[in-house]
């Protein structure tokens, strides 16, 4: 691994950043950011394989686990945390875990990512099994916490995937479905919270959203299973119901309150 050359650690295409005015800094950052979508597009065949595998498992009650350290771990937790309010799924169906535990979400835990055994302990606390899937997220593709987790999961018959920004990385070689978004060197050398993190976020959006659509949590183009947890979402749900059924806004609001979800309210009108 010592000879492995990480693209994410290569020198920036820009230099003398401290000498630039604000607008030039922002324009150059934006030039780099434009490369991200194309890099993600190249990974769609692999994302497709993962989503199709997840669909089968989810229809049988399976779960999706994300593991990562630092920014990668936080992005996995972010994606997992949005599934219940957006799609009305139970919290335990998509789970994000970070090296160092929940305290590491806000504050880095020193050397937590270097523990090769902890990720498996973390997922075993949720009784992971071969009907589930584990996705390791690591820009570098070398994070011991993540590699250790997917290796042990794979040995236990669990399907594994990864999201990384270094093609051919050690992590990629350990999983069933490697998703590798080569965004090139970062604007600030090695700062993978930038392009690499953006690519990871886009890929996570694609995985979870496509999966939720495939298992029936979206109707037409609407979030008909979203949790009605504030006035904005109640209003959105009411407008969805008006559009789907032709009811007046007032009647739709009554029906939504009665049935508790857009989907159930629509089904009651059919």
């Amino acid at each position: 691994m010592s000879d492995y050359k990480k693209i994410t650690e290569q020198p920036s295409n820009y230099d003398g950043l401290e000498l630039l005015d604000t607008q030039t800094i922002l324009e150059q950052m934006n030039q780099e950011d434009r490369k991200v979508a194309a890099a993600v597009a190249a990974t769609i065949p692999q994302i497709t394989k993962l989503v199709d595998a997840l669909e089968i498992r989810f229809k049988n009650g399976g779960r999706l686990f994300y593991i990562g350290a630092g920014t990668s771990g936080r992005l996995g937790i972010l994606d997992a945390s949005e599934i219940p309010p957006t799609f009305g799924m139970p919290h335990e169906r998509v789970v994000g875990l970070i090296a160092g535990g929940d305290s590491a979400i806000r504050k880095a835990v020193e050397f937590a990512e270097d523990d090769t055994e902890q990720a498996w302990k973390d997922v075993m606390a949720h009784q992971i099994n071969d009907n589930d899937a584990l996705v390791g997220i690591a820009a570098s593709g070398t994070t011991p916490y993540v590699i250790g987790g997917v290796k042990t999961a794979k040995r236990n018959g669990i399907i594994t995937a990864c999201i990384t920004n270094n093609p051919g990385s050690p992590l990629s070689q350990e999983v069933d479905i490697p998703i590798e978004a080569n965004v090139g060197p970062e604007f600030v050398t090695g700062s993978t919270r930038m392009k690499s993190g953006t690519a990871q976020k886009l890929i996570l959006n694609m995985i979870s959203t496509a999966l939720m659509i495939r298992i029936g949590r979206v109707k037409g183009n609407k979030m008909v299973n979203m949790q009605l947890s504030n006035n904005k979402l109640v209003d959105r749900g009411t407008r969805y119901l008006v559009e789907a059924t032709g009811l007046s806004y007032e009647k739709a609001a009554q029906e939504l309150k009665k049935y508790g979800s857009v989907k159930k309210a629509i089904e009651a009108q059919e």
Side-chain angles (χ1 to χ4, degrees):
M1 190 179 296
S2 60
D3 294 331
Y4 176 66
K5 297 198 182 303
K6 304 175 190 174
I7 294 170
T8 51
E9 295 295 331
Q10 295 301 303
S12 172
N13 295 321
Y14 305 85
D15 203 356
L17 303 183
E18 74 279 11
L19 304 176
L20 303 177
D21 63 80
T22 301
Q23 182 161 331
T24 302
I25 291 171
L26 299 177
E27 288 173 347
Q28 291 184 356
M29 286 178 64
N30 184 249
Q31 285 292 330
E32 288 301 300
D33 288 342
R34 294 179 190 183
K35 301 175 182 178
V36 175
V40 170
T43 72
I44 288 176
Q46 292 296 90
I47 300 174
T48 300
K49 289 180 185 178
L50 176 58
V51 172
D52 287 347
L54 288 171
E55 180 185 352
I56 295 169
R57 284 159 177 77
F58 262 65
K59 287 180 176 177
N60 289 320
R63 298 168 294 171
L64 168 60
F65 289 86
Y66 296 130
I67 56 171
T71 297
S72 297
R74 294 180 190 104
L75 288 169
I77 289 169
L78 173 62
D79 193 70
S81 69
E82 294 287 354
I83 300 307
T86 307
F87 300 106
M89 294 290 286
H91 286 273
E92 63 269 16
R93 297 299 296 278
V94 183
V95 179
L97 300 168
I98 187 170
D102 284 356
S103 63
I105 297 171
R106 292 183 178 273
K107 186 177 180 181
V109 176
E110 289 186 0
F111 302 108
E113 70 174 58
D114 297 325
D115 189 332
T116 60
E117 306 295 328
Q118 189 59 47
W120 182 245
K121 295 175 184 176
D122 291 344
V123 295
M124 280 303 295
H126 296 265
Q127 299 180 312
I128 193 171
N129 61 70
D130 60 9
N131 195 37
D132 301 325
L134 180 62
V135 177
I137 312 169
S140 67
T142 60
T143 307
Y145 174 85
V146 178
I147 293 174
V150 297
K151 283 179 70 173
T152 308
K154 192 173 180 181
R155 283 202 304 269
N156 283 273
I158 297 164
I159 190 169
T160 58
C162 73
I163 303 171
T164 183
N165 302 99
N166 280 301
S169 70
L171 175 59
S172 295
Q173 295 170 29
E174 295 292 347
V175 301
D176 299 301
I177 305 173
I179 300 170
E180 305 169 312
N182 181 0
V183 297
E186 295 290 356
F187 177 70
V188 174
T189 300
S191 183
T192 52
R193 58 182 282 274
M194 303 182 78
K195 288 190 298 179
S196 296
T198 300
Q200 291 172 356
K201 180 66 169 71
L202 292 176
I203 291 167
L204 288 163
N205 286 348
M206 295 169 84
I207 292 168
S208 57
T209 305
L211 173 61
M212 292 298 117
I213 292 170
R214 293 294 301 160
I215 65 171
R217 308 303 290 183
V218 171
K219 184 176 179 63
N221 57 19
K222 303 295 194 299
M223 298 179 288
V224 294
N225 288 284
M226 64 183 176
Q227 293 178 351
L228 304 173
S229 56
N230 59 48
N231 289 334
K232 177 189 73 175
L233 297 179
V234 171
D235 173 65
R236 181 186 295 164
T238 302
R239 288 185 285 106
Y240 286 177
L241 191 53
V242 168
E243 183 178 326
T245 65
L247 293 172
S248 69
Y249 185 93
E250 292 72 19
K251 180 62 175 176
Q254 292 173 6
E255 293 294 288
L256 189 61
K257 184 176 182 180
K258 177 180 178 181
Y259 291 100
S261 80
V262 177
K263 185 175 183 180
K264 291 178 181 177
I266 290 173
E267 290 172 348
Q269 310 304 312
E270 292 175 346

